[in-house]
Amino acid sequence: DPQTRVESAMRDLIRVETTLNEILDFAKPLELNRRPCRIPEVLDGTLSLVANDLEMNRITVTKDYGAHLAPVRCDDAKMQQVFLSIIKNALEAMTPGGHLDIAATPQKGGRMVQIAISNDGAPIPAEHVSKLFEPFFTTKRSGTGLGLATVKKIVDEHQGEIAIAGGQEKGTTVTIQLLD
């Protein structure tokens, strides 16, 4: 049927366009609009974007935002992109009824904020952990392998650090450290 072939070709074209845009976005330098941001507000804003997915999958979210967190000079939109990518990956790894823990705590006498996002989903295989931030590395059928590479690029541009640790049997924790 010609109509079905045209629709299929349009879907393929949209998929190719999306992939090309991700590659172009990854390749160009970041322009950061830094200003004092409260990380708990950025995290809560991110959670509101995925609220329907969390509810649909009956994911329990536990938040632990340390008292007296200093604002961090960052691009809040870019940091929200970082948190969104990490949380979406967590949701894909979790089964319905799972738990997502988010903690933001002061470090180094309050000059740094550490954000830890943990899930109780399927752990990342040990052999993949060292490759997670490499461009184009993916274990997903429809992934481009640019999500976590972009996350690392954004964190690096903020002079921050990011690490991922997989559990033995369950769960993964992503830790980000940002200077204030």
Side-chain angles (χ1 to χ4, degrees), residues 125-170:
E127 65 270 15
H128 293 169
V129 172
S130 65
K131 301 174 188 175
L132 291 174
F133 296 120
E134 292 178 10
F136 308 110
F137 175 79
T138 185
T139 58
K140 300 175 187 175
R141 275 187 279 152
S142 62
T144 60
L146 290 174
L148 288 176
T150 300
V151 161
K152 179 154 178 44
K153 181 178 177 179
I154 292 169
V155 172
D156 287 349
E157 288 290 322
H158 281 86
Q159 284 78 50
E161 294 180 16
I162 184 167
I164 297 179
Q168 292 291 335
E169 296 178 25
K170 226 176 179 181

Short mmCIF file of all heavy atoms in Angstrom, two decimals, residues 125-170:
data_model
loop_
_atom_site.label_atom_id
_atom_site.label_comp_id
_atom_site.label_asym_id
_atom_site.label_seq_id
_atom_site.Cartn_x
_atom_site.Cartn_y
_atom_site.Cartn_z
N PRO A 125 25.72 -3.51 33.76
CA PRO A 125 26.78 -4.52 33.78
C PRO A 125 28.15 -3.87 33.96
O PRO A 125 28.44 -2.82 33.38
CB PRO A 125 26.66 -5.19 32.40
CG PRO A 125 25.25 -4.93 31.97
CD PRO A 125 24.89 -3.60 32.56
N ALA A 126 28.99 -4.48 34.77
CA ALA A 126 30.31 -3.93 35.10
C ALA A 126 31.13 -3.61 33.86
O ALA A 126 31.84 -2.60 33.82
CB ALA A 126 31.07 -4.89 36.01
N GLU A 127 31.00 -4.42 32.83
CA GLU A 127 31.80 -4.20 31.61
C GLU A 127 31.34 -2.97 30.82
O GLU A 127 32.05 -2.49 29.95
CB GLU A 127 31.81 -5.44 30.70
CG GLU A 127 30.46 -5.83 30.13
CD GLU A 127 29.66 -6.79 31.00
OE1 GLU A 127 29.99 -6.96 32.19
OE2 GLU A 127 28.69 -7.35 30.47
N HIS A 128 30.17 -2.44 31.13
CA HIS A 128 29.66 -1.26 30.43
C HIS A 128 29.97 0.06 31.14
O HIS A 128 29.97 1.11 30.52
CB HIS A 128 28.15 -1.35 30.24
CG HIS A 128 27.73 -2.43 29.31
ND1 HIS A 128 26.43 -2.82 29.17
CD2 HIS A 128 28.43 -3.22 28.46
CE1 HIS A 128 26.34 -3.80 28.28
NE2 HIS A 128 27.56 -4.06 27.85
N VAL A 129 30.23 0.00 32.45
CA VAL A 129 30.36 1.22 33.25
C VAL A 129 31.43 2.16 32.69
O VAL A 129 31.21 3.36 32.58
CB VAL A 129 30.64 0.88 34.73
CG1 VAL A 129 30.96 2.13 35.53
CG2 VAL A 129 29.43 0.18 35.33
N SER A 130 32.56 1.63 32.28
CA SER A 130 33.65 2.49 31.79
C SER A 130 33.34 3.11 30.42
O SER A 130 34.00 4.06 30.02
CB SER A 130 34.96 1.71 31.72
OG SER A 130 34.86 0.68 30.76
N LYS A 131 32.35 2.59 29.72
CA LYS A 131 32.02 3.08 28.38
C LYS A 131 30.81 4.01 28.33
O LYS A 131 30.50 4.57 27.30
CB LYS A 131 31.72 1.89 27.46
CG LYS A 131 32.84 0.91 27.33
CD LYS A 131 32.38 -0.29 26.52
CE LYS A 131 33.42 -1.39 26.54
NZ LYS A 131 32.94 -2.60 25.86
N LEU A 132 30.12 4.17 29.46
CA LEU A 132 28.84 4.87 29.48
C LEU A 132 28.89 6.30 28.95
O LEU A 132 27.92 6.77 28.37
CB LEU A 132 28.25 4.86 30.89
CG LEU A 132 27.79 3.49 31.37
CD1 LEU A 132 27.37 3.58 32.83
CD2 LEU A 132 26.68 2.96 30.51
N PHE A 133 29.99 7.00 29.16
CA PHE A 133 30.07 8.40 28.73
C PHE A 133 30.68 8.55 27.34
O PHE A 133 30.85 9.66 26.86
CB PHE A 133 30.86 9.22 29.75
CG PHE A 133 30.21 9.29 31.10
CD1 PHE A 133 30.86 8.81 32.22
CD2 PHE A 133 28.93 9.83 31.25
CE1 PHE A 133 30.26 8.88 33.47
CE2 PHE A 133 28.32 9.89 32.49
CZ PHE A 133 28.99 9.42 33.60
N GLU A 134 31.03 7.45 26.71
CA GLU A 134 31.61 7.51 25.36
C GLU A 134 30.51 7.81 24.35
O GLU A 134 29.44 7.19 24.38
CB GLU A 134 32.27 6.18 24.99
CG GLU A 134 33.51 5.87 25.79
CD GLU A 134 34.11 4.52 25.43
OE1 GLU A 134 33.67 3.89 24.44
OE2 GLU A 134 35.01 4.09 26.17
N PRO A 135 30.78 8.76 23.44
CA PRO A 135 29.78 9.04 22.39
C PRO A 135 29.49 7.78 21.58
O PRO A 135 30.39 7.01 21.24
CB PRO A 135 30.46 10.10 21.53
CG PRO A 135 31.50 10.71 22.40
CD PRO A 135 31.95 9.61 23.34
N PHE A 136 28.22 7.58 21.32
CA PHE A 136 27.69 6.51 20.47
C PHE A 136 27.69 5.13 21.14
O PHE A 136 27.31 4.16 20.50
CB PHE A 136 28.39 6.46 19.10
CG PHE A 136 28.40 7.79 18.42
CD1 PHE A 136 29.58 8.50 18.27
CD2 PHE A 136 27.23 8.37 17.97
CE1 PHE A 136 29.59 9.75 17.67
CE2 PHE A 136 27.23 9.61 17.37
CZ PHE A 136 28.41 10.30 17.22
N PHE A 137 28.09 5.03 22.39
CA PHE A 137 27.96 3.75 23.09
C PHE A 137 26.53 3.65 23.61
O PHE A 137 26.05 4.54 24.31
CB PHE A 137 28.93 3.63 24.26
CG PHE A 137 28.70 2.36 25.05
CD1 PHE A 137 29.17 1.15 24.57
CD2 PHE A 137 27.96 2.37 26.23
CE1 PHE A 137 28.93 -0.03 25.28
CE2 PHE A 137 27.72 1.20 26.94
CZ PHE A 137 28.20 0.00 26.46
N THR A 138 25.85 2.59 23.25
CA THR A 138 24.48 2.38 23.73
C THR A 138 24.18 0.90 23.83
O THR A 138 24.79 0.08 23.11
CB THR A 138 23.44 3.07 22.82
OG1 THR A 138 22.15 2.93 23.40
CG2 THR A 138 23.43 2.48 21.41
N THR A 139 23.29 0.56 24.72
CA THR A 139 22.79 -0.80 24.82
C THR A 139 21.32 -0.86 24.40
O THR A 139 20.71 -1.91 24.44
CB THR A 139 22.93 -1.33 26.27
OG1 THR A 139 22.21 -0.46 27.14
CG2 THR A 139 24.39 -1.40 26.68
N LYS A 140 20.80 0.30 23.99
CA LYS A 140 19.39 0.38 23.61
C LYS A 140 19.24 0.17 22.11
O LYS A 140 20.08 0.59 21.32
CB LYS A 140 18.82 1.75 23.99
CG LYS A 140 18.90 2.05 25.46
CD LYS A 140 18.43 3.46 25.74
CE LYS A 140 18.64 3.83 27.19
NZ LYS A 140 18.30 5.22 27.44
N ARG A 141 18.14 -0.45 21.72
CA ARG A 141 17.89 -0.68 20.30
C ARG A 141 17.71 0.62 19.53
O ARG A 141 18.17 0.75 18.42
CB ARG A 141 16.65 -1.55 20.11
CG ARG A 141 16.97 -3.02 20.21
CD ARG A 141 15.79 -3.86 19.86
NE ARG A 141 14.92 -3.92 21.05
CZ ARG A 141 13.63 -4.08 21.02
NH1 ARG A 141 13.01 -4.20 19.88
NH2 ARG A 141 12.94 -4.14 22.13
N SER A 142 17.04 1.60 20.14
CA SER A 142 16.76 2.84 19.42
C SER A 142 17.59 4.01 19.93
O SER A 142 17.34 5.14 19.57
CB SER A 142 15.27 3.17 19.53
OG SER A 142 14.93 3.38 20.88
N GLY A 143 18.59 3.75 20.77
CA GLY A 143 19.40 4.84 21.31
C GLY A 143 20.51 5.27 20.37
O GLY A 143 20.98 4.49 19.54
N THR A 144 20.93 6.53 20.50
CA THR A 144 22.04 7.04 19.69
C THR A 144 23.36 6.95 20.44
O THR A 144 24.42 7.10 19.84
CB THR A 144 21.82 8.52 19.31
OG1 THR A 144 21.73 9.29 20.50
CG2 THR A 144 20.57 8.68 18.46
N GLY A 145 23.30 6.77 21.75
CA GLY A 145 24.52 6.74 22.53
C GLY A 145 25.06 8.13 22.83
O GLY A 145 26.23 8.28 23.17
N LEU A 146 24.21 9.14 22.70
CA LEU A 146 24.66 10.51 22.97
C LEU A 146 24.08 11.08 24.26
O LEU A 146 24.51 12.14 24.70
CB LEU A 146 24.32 11.42 21.79
CG LEU A 146 25.12 11.16 20.53
CD1 LEU A 146 24.62 12.00 19.38
CD2 LEU A 146 26.59 11.42 20.78
N GLY A 147 23.13 10.41 24.87
CA GLY A 147 22.49 10.94 26.07
C GLY A 147 23.48 11.17 27.21
O GLY A 147 23.64 12.29 27.69
N LEU A 148 24.17 10.12 27.64
CA LEU A 148 25.10 10.27 28.75
C LEU A 148 26.38 10.99 28.33
O LEU A 148 27.02 11.64 29.15
CB LEU A 148 25.42 8.91 29.37
CG LEU A 148 24.28 8.30 30.19
CD1 LEU A 148 24.65 6.91 30.69
CD2 LEU A 148 23.89 9.20 31.35
N ALA A 149 26.75 10.90 27.06
CA ALA A 149 27.90 11.67 26.58
C ALA A 149 27.60 13.16 26.68
O ALA A 149 28.45 13.96 27.08
CB ALA A 149 28.24 11.28 25.14
N THR A 150 26.37 13.55 26.36
CA THR A 150 25.96 14.95 26.47
C THR A 150 25.89 15.36 27.94
O THR A 150 26.30 16.46 28.30
CB THR A 150 24.60 15.16 25.78
OG1 THR A 150 24.73 14.81 24.40
CG2 THR A 150 24.13 16.60 25.90
N VAL A 151 25.38 14.48 28.79
CA VAL A 151 25.33 14.74 30.22
C VAL A 151 26.74 15.04 30.75
O VAL A 151 26.96 16.03 31.46
CB VAL A 151 24.70 13.54 30.98
CG1 VAL A 151 25.02 13.56 32.46
CG2 VAL A 151 23.20 13.51 30.76
N LYS A 152 27.69 14.21 30.39
CA LYS A 152 29.07 14.41 30.85
C LYS A 152 29.63 15.72 30.31
O LYS A 152 30.31 16.47 31.04
CB LYS A 152 29.97 13.25 30.44
CG LYS A 152 31.42 13.47 30.88
CD LYS A 152 32.15 12.20 31.07
CE LYS A 152 33.60 12.37 31.45
NZ LYS A 152 33.91 13.35 32.45
N LYS A 153 29.35 16.03 29.07
CA LYS A 153 29.83 17.28 28.47
C LYS A 153 29.30 18.49 29.25
O LYS A 153 30.04 19.42 29.54
CB LYS A 153 29.40 17.35 27.00
CG LYS A 153 29.87 18.59 26.29
CD LYS A 153 29.44 18.56 24.83
CE LYS A 153 29.84 19.84 24.13
NZ LYS A 153 29.45 19.83 22.73
N ILE A 154 28.03 18.46 29.59
CA ILE A 154 27.42 19.57 30.33
C ILE A 154 28.04 19.70 31.73
O ILE A 154 28.40 20.79 32.16
CB ILE A 154 25.89 19.41 30.42
CG1 ILE A 154 25.25 19.57 29.03
CG2 ILE A 154 25.28 20.42 31.41
CD1 ILE A 154 23.79 19.17 28.96
N VAL A 155 28.18 18.58 32.42
CA VAL A 155 28.77 18.61 33.76
C VAL A 155 30.22 19.10 33.68
O VAL A 155 30.65 19.92 34.49
CB VAL A 155 28.67 17.22 34.45
CG1 VAL A 155 29.46 17.19 35.75
CG2 VAL A 155 27.21 16.86 34.71
N ASP A 156 30.97 18.61 32.71
CA ASP A 156 32.36 19.05 32.54
C ASP A 156 32.44 20.56 32.28
O ASP A 156 33.31 21.24 32.81
CB ASP A 156 33.04 18.31 31.38
CG ASP A 156 33.36 16.86 31.71
OD1 ASP A 156 33.26 16.46 32.90
OD2 ASP A 156 33.70 16.10 30.77
N GLU A 157 31.54 21.08 31.45
CA GLU A 157 31.53 22.51 31.14
C GLU A 157 31.23 23.35 32.39
O GLU A 157 31.59 24.51 32.46
CB GLU A 157 30.52 22.83 30.04
CG GLU A 157 30.94 22.36 28.66
CD GLU A 157 32.10 23.14 28.09
OE1 GLU A 157 32.17 24.37 28.28
OE2 GLU A 157 32.96 22.51 27.44
N HIS A 158 30.56 22.76 33.35
CA HIS A 158 30.29 23.43 34.63
C HIS A 158 31.44 23.21 35.63
O HIS A 158 31.31 23.55 36.80
CB HIS A 158 28.98 22.91 35.24
CG HIS A 158 27.75 23.49 34.63
ND1 HIS A 158 27.16 22.96 33.51
CD2 HIS A 158 27.01 24.57 34.98
CE1 HIS A 158 26.10 23.68 33.20
NE2 HIS A 158 25.98 24.66 34.08
N GLN A 159 32.54 22.63 35.17
CA GLN A 159 33.68 22.28 36.02
C GLN A 159 33.26 21.34 37.15
O GLN A 159 33.80 21.40 38.26
CB GLN A 159 34.40 23.51 36.60
CG GLN A 159 35.27 24.26 35.61
CD GLN A 159 34.47 25.14 34.67
OE1 GLN A 159 33.65 25.92 35.10
NE2 GLN A 159 34.71 24.99 33.38
N GLY A 160 32.30 20.49 36.85
CA GLY A 160 31.83 19.51 37.83
C GLY A 160 32.39 18.13 37.53
O GLY A 160 33.18 17.95 36.60
N GLU A 161 31.95 17.18 38.33
CA GLU A 161 32.35 15.79 38.15
C GLU A 161 31.11 14.91 38.17
O GLU A 161 30.15 15.21 38.88
CB GLU A 161 33.31 15.36 39.26
CG GLU A 161 34.63 16.08 39.23
CD GLU A 161 35.56 15.63 40.35
OE1 GLU A 161 35.31 14.56 40.95
OE2 GLU A 161 36.53 16.36 40.61
N ILE A 162 31.17 13.82 37.40
CA ILE A 162 30.06 12.87 37.38
C ILE A 162 30.63 11.46 37.40
O ILE A 162 31.68 11.19 36.81
CB ILE A 162 29.15 13.08 36.15
CG1 ILE A 162 27.93 12.14 36.20
CG2 ILE A 162 29.93 12.95 34.85
CD1 ILE A 162 26.84 12.48 35.21
N ALA A 163 29.95 10.58 38.12
CA ALA A 163 30.36 9.18 38.20
C ALA A 163 29.11 8.31 38.26
O ALA A 163 28.06 8.74 38.74
CB ALA A 163 31.23 8.94 39.43
N ILE A 164 29.24 7.10 37.75
CA ILE A 164 28.14 6.13 37.78
C ILE A 164 28.65 4.85 38.41
O ILE A 164 29.72 4.35 38.05
CB ILE A 164 27.60 5.84 36.36
CG1 ILE A 164 27.02 7.09 35.74
CG2 ILE A 164 26.55 4.72 36.40
CD1 ILE A 164 26.50 6.92 34.34
N ALA A 165 27.88 4.34 39.37
CA ALA A 165 28.23 3.08 40.03
C ALA A 165 27.03 2.16 39.96
O ALA A 165 25.93 2.54 40.35
CB ALA A 165 28.63 3.33 41.48
N GLY A 166 27.25 0.97 39.46
CA GLY A 166 26.19 -0.03 39.40
C GLY A 166 26.28 -0.95 40.61
O GLY A 166 27.38 -1.23 41.09
N GLY A 167 25.14 -1.36 41.10
CA GLY A 167 25.11 -2.29 42.23
C GLY A 167 25.44 -3.69 41.77
O GLY A 167 25.50 -3.98 40.58
N GLN A 168 25.66 -4.58 42.73
CA GLN A 168 25.96 -5.97 42.40
C GLN A 168 24.75 -6.67 41.79
O GLN A 168 24.86 -7.30 40.75
CB GLN A 168 26.42 -6.72 43.65
CG GLN A 168 27.75 -6.27 44.17
CD GLN A 168 28.88 -6.67 43.24
OE1 GLN A 168 28.78 -7.61 42.49
NE2 GLN A 168 29.97 -5.93 43.29
N GLU A 169 23.61 -6.54 42.46
CA GLU A 169 22.42 -7.24 42.00
C GLU A 169 21.32 -6.29 41.58
O GLU A 169 20.46 -6.64 40.79
CB GLU A 169 21.89 -8.15 43.11
CG GLU A 169 22.84 -9.26 43.47
CD GLU A 169 22.29 -10.12 44.60
OE1 GLU A 169 21.07 -10.17 44.78
OE2 GLU A 169 23.12 -10.73 45.29
N LYS A 170 21.34 -5.09 42.14
CA LYS A 170 20.24 -4.18 41.91
C LYS A 170 20.73 -2.75 41.99
O LYS A 170 21.53 -2.39 42.85
CB LYS A 170 19.18 -4.39 43.01
CG LYS A 170 17.79 -4.47 42.50
CD LYS A 170 16.84 -4.77 43.63
CE LYS A 170 15.46 -4.83 43.05
NZ LYS A 170 14.42 -5.08 43.97
#
